[in-house]
Amino acid sequence: MGPYINGFLEPSRFIFFVLGAVYWCTPFATPSPIGVPNLRECQLATDRSVVGPLTTVQLNCCLPIPRSNVVDFTFGKYKATTKRLRMPAHKVGSNYIAKYRRAYELMRSLPQDDPRSFATQANVHCAFCNGAYKQAGDDSVLLQVHFSWLFLAWHRWYLYFHERILASLVGDPTFSLVFWNWDDQRDGGNFMPAMFLPTDSSLYDAKRNQANLPPTLVKLVPGITGNNSEIINQNLNAMYQDMVTNDNAELFMGGTYVTGTDLSNSTVLSAPLGGSIENGVHNAIHFWTGDITQPLIQDMGTFTTAARDPIFYAHHSNVDRLWDKWRYGLPGGPRDDHSDPDFLNAEFYFYDENGSLVKVKVSDALDSSKLGYGYPEVAADELWINYSPAPVTSGSAVPAARASGVPVVGAAPQNGTISLGSGLTAIVAAPGNTSRSTKQREVVVIQGLKVTRDSFVSVLVFVNLPSSNSSTATSSAEYVGTYNIIPAPGKTLTANVKLEIGDNLQRIGIQSEAEVVLSLVVKGNQPITIQGLLIRYE
Ligand code: C2O
């Protein structure tokens, strides 16, 4: 990218310019970390109907061109004058709610093209998830902030500026977002929060699943069934699997995404990879909240419209809280974020409370306290941290599976392309007792999973349970995790899905076996293919 960002000279390069030196710091070379896009080159984002008649929707999520120079974020310029404490949505009182409503009222009343308006705020999400901008340095590829290590940091920055804008609109520097505490299965967090429900409020959005209003419990795995206590146990196990056992940066946060990474056009080996927090419980809440009768499961069920629902920001506030919890608050001591410079130096654009365009870096987002906000301790976290799923099987299922003709599936490319249909059960080689370093995790890799994202679909993974199907309960140690795919019709996705499986094998008592039975259960009606299955230490 050249030195002119949106027609304005970047300050850092201005000096070279006035000195008359024809000296570019980095432009024209392909930078490896993701850079900020050229906002003047915006195209219509596209989406198509998911249910009902097929329609293609062209969405103009193009962002306003700022009138002043781009601001480079520094902690000095954005000094936190006071600490914001983000509270659980189900616990805040009427004054808090009144101020919250007022803030969104003011945001909704700003002119659409104001960078601080609710419409623009929602478009910021649409723009970076439905292909409005090309990657800086590789304009053959669209910029996408989901499905990779960019996910947590990008959404943290997004909320940071969103919150600052709301605070400045109500003139209260202590204004803080709430978090939707959907993981809380004991103290009332696991419902659609009441503060977002009154239809006459600025926090209301009509496009939500009307079957999921209180007292319906959230489902952290799509389509789980059972009575309330069975749902609760399945929710707790979803949290335990996504948060506790996926304990390295790649498994939890997602994998590499650099300039040139292409979601639609990747090969098995180059496929980007979302983390367990994104693919699992986060995507499940998007699906659960969106209106299933809308063509695109709007608003929350598709990224294009998700941020048109004020509940979105409370949902992501919890995802953000869980990132901190994962990093600092789980047994075994602090966990590490990625330290790769290609991660740390990735850059994004957001608008601040003055309507200025700000350029931020991932590395400045890693410490929420430096950004001036935090979350209270949530006692109910202990329930999922200590969920300790018990197995429903004992002994290896391999001999019986082999006798009944269950196929062996190995690593790509020896299998060719395998269609999953409604599911696949296979015998897969496991590393068993081979030695590993303490830093390594036993991981199942679903290689080269490919799907066209025409409708919402989930792939549930079970081990040692060859009879698994779409009604199998996910509360036991045999449940490994779920890969949920948010629809974006017409767009294909290739991914290597990775999930920690060692804890499951230990609990069942089959950690020394050289082979295990793995089942992939597909919920939804979208053809999915894979290239191979692999279990190894990583
Ligand atoms: Cu940008 Cu919850 O998605």
Side-chain angles (χ1 to χ4, degrees):
M1 162 171 308
Y4 293 92
I5 305 286
N6 312 315
F8 298 97
L9 204 52
E10 265 197 301
S12 59
R13 289 175 181 152
F14 181 69
I15 296 182
F16 295 110
F17 185 79
V18 290
L19 290 176
V22 185
Y23 182 93
W24 310 131
C25 306
T26 50
F28 309 124
T30 303
S32 232
I34 284 297
V36 287
N38 182 349
L39 292 192
R40 288 195 185 275
E41 280 178 27
C42 182
Q43 43 199 341
L44 294 182
T46 55
D47 219 337
R48 285 207 321 241
S49 63
V50 173
V51 297
L54 190 73
T55 50
T56 299
V57 186
Q58 300 253 296
L59 296 140
N60 185 348
C61 314
C62 296
L63 300 174
I65 303 295
R67 292 186 193 97
S68 51
N69 287 342
V70 173
V71 179
D72 280 309
F73 176 89
T74 64
F75 289 103
K77 285 181 208 159
Y78 289 85
K79 244 196 192 63
T81 48
T82 164
K83 170 134 175 157
R84 302 177 202 277
L85 189 63
R86 295 185 182 166
M87 297 300 288
H90 65 294
K91 295 229 170 110
V92 293
S94 55
N95 290 344
Y96 199 110
I97 294 171
K99 194 197 294 171
Y100 216 84
R101 281 189 181 203
R102 180 83 190 121
Y104 275 94
E105 248 164 62
L106 292 167
M107 188 178 254
R108 283 182 188 274
S109 67
L110 292 171
Q112 286 232 348
D113 62 346
D114 188 312
R116 304 165 304 156
S117 71
F118 191 67
T120 301
Q121 289 291 298
N123 279 347
V124 167
H125 195 255
C126 172
F128 298 115
C129 69
N130 271 59
Y133 296 101
K134 292 169 173 166
Q135 291 180 2
D138 187 346
D139 63 11
S140 67
V141 187
L142 299 174
L143 179 56
Q144 169 60 263
V145 298
H146 302 86
F147 308 99
S148 78
W149 66 16
L150 297 184
F151 172 75
L152 287 171
W154 186 89
H155 287 82
R156 173 167 287 180
W157 276 121
Y158 183 30
L159 261 56
Y160 171 80
F161 287 107
H162 186 73
E163 186 176 58
R164 290 182 72 100
I165 295 169
L166 292 166
S168 96
L169 289 171
V170 288
D172 178 353
T174 69
F175 176 92
S176 312
L177 292 172
V178 293
F179 63 90
W180 176 5
N181 199 180
W182 34 256
D183 58 300
D184 158 27
Q185 303 303 310
R186 184 184 65 198
D187 300 332
N190 50 352
F191 303 99
M192 218 181 269
M195 66 182 279
F196 292 96
L197 302 180
T199 54
D200 61 346
S201 147
S202 60
L203 309 180
Y204 180 69
D205 184 53
K207 293 178 185 147
R208 294 181 187 144
N209 189 335
Q210 297 303 306
N212 287 342
L213 300 177
T216 307
L217 293 177
V218 300
K219 290 180 176 168
L220 298 183
V221 178
I224 48 175
T225 55
N227 61 30
N228 279 0
S229 83
E230 287 161 340
I231 298 283
I232 282 171
N233 281 336
Q234 295 179 87
N235 285 346
L236 290 172
N237 199 26
M239 288 302 296
Y240 176 76
Q241 300 296 337
D242 288 359
M243 287 286 295
V244 182
T245 69
N246 286 293
D247 61 353
N248 72 29
E250 187 187 42
L251 292 172
F252 176 74
M253 308 176 76
T256 308
Y257 185 97
V258 291
T259 307
T261 304
D262 186 350
L263 219 55
S264 324
N265 250 328
S266 46
T267 64
V268 171
L269 291 177
S270 71
L273 141 84
S276 59
I277 184 71
E278 177 184 357
N279 300 329
V281 292
H282 157 265
N283 282 352
I285 287 287
H286 273 282
F287 173 69
W288 185 84
T289 311
D291 181 351
I292 204 82
T293 69
Q294 291 289 327
L296 300 165
I297 323 182
Q298 293 107 318
D299 279 326
M300 278 281 278
T302 184
F303 292 141
T304 322
T305 54
R308 295 181 189 177
D309 187 339
I311 213 170
F312 170 95
Y313 306 89
H315 169 41
H316 269 277
S317 187
N318 198 39
V319 172
D320 189 71
R321 181 185 79 85
L322 292 171
W323 179 13
D324 274 358
K325 187 77 191 174
W326 178 85
R327 180 121 166 64
Y328 301 107
L330 295 181
R335 295 171 173 189
D336 296 322
D337 290 327
H338 285 286
S339 55
D340 188 326
D342 287 343
F343 168 71
L344 298 173
N345 295 325
E347 294 176 332
F348 312 124
Y349 274 150
F350 291 97
Y351 301 102
D352 70 8
E353 64 277 17
N354 302 313
S356 302
L357 191 66
V358 191
K359 189 167 81 176
V360 300
K361 264 190 179 4
V362 162
S363 54
D364 287 335
L366 302 183
D367 183 343
S368 56
S369 69
K370 271 178 97 178
L371 293 172
Y373 74 91
Y375 301 93
E377 274 301 311
V378 176
D381 287 350
E382 294 303 315
L383 265 66
W384 51 259
I385 293 172
N386 300 313
Y387 177 64
S388 196
V392 293
T393 59
S394 63
S396 169
V398 170
R402 176 159 278 129
S404 67
V406 167
V408 174
V409 171
Q414 71 197 35
N415 314 287
T417 297
I418 304 166
S419 291
L420 291 189
S422 64
L424 170 76
T425 289
I427 295 169
V428 182
N433 282 332
T434 56
S435 63
R436 60 157 168 165
S437 81
T438 50
K439 284 225 142 147
Q440 289 184 310
R441 300 287 163 266
E442 192 162 359
V443 170
V444 53
V445 190
I446 305 170
Q447 297 178 299
L449 182 147
K450 191 163 188 174
V451 63
T452 301
R453 296 162 59 200
D454 281 345
S455 62
F456 185 89
V457 61
S458 305
V459 180
L460 283 70
V461 182
F462 295 90
V463 65
N464 209 44
L465 210 54
S467 63
S468 322
N469 58 43
S470 62
S471 50
T472 302
T474 58
S475 46
S476 75
E478 285 77 7
Y479 170 72
V480 179
T482 299
Y483 185 66
N484 294 301
I485 300 149
I486 299 276
K491 295 205 162 63
T492 53
L493 166 71
T494 305
N496 289 308
V497 181
K498 292 187 181 180
L499 293 161
E500 198 280 344
I501 197 174
D503 183 76
N504 307 79
L505 300 179
Q506 291 267 353
R507 285 171 182 277
I508 304 166
I510 54 171
Q511 68 277 14
S512 309
E513 300 290 327
E515 290 178 314
V516 297
V517 173
L518 207 65
S519 300
L520 308 182
V521 172
V522 178
K523 286 192 189 181
N525 290 316
Q526 211 46 54
I528 300 182
T529 57
I530 63 167
Q531 300 290 320
L533 293 170
L534 181 61
I535 298 174
R536 65 178 176 205
Y537 292 126
E538 289 200 342

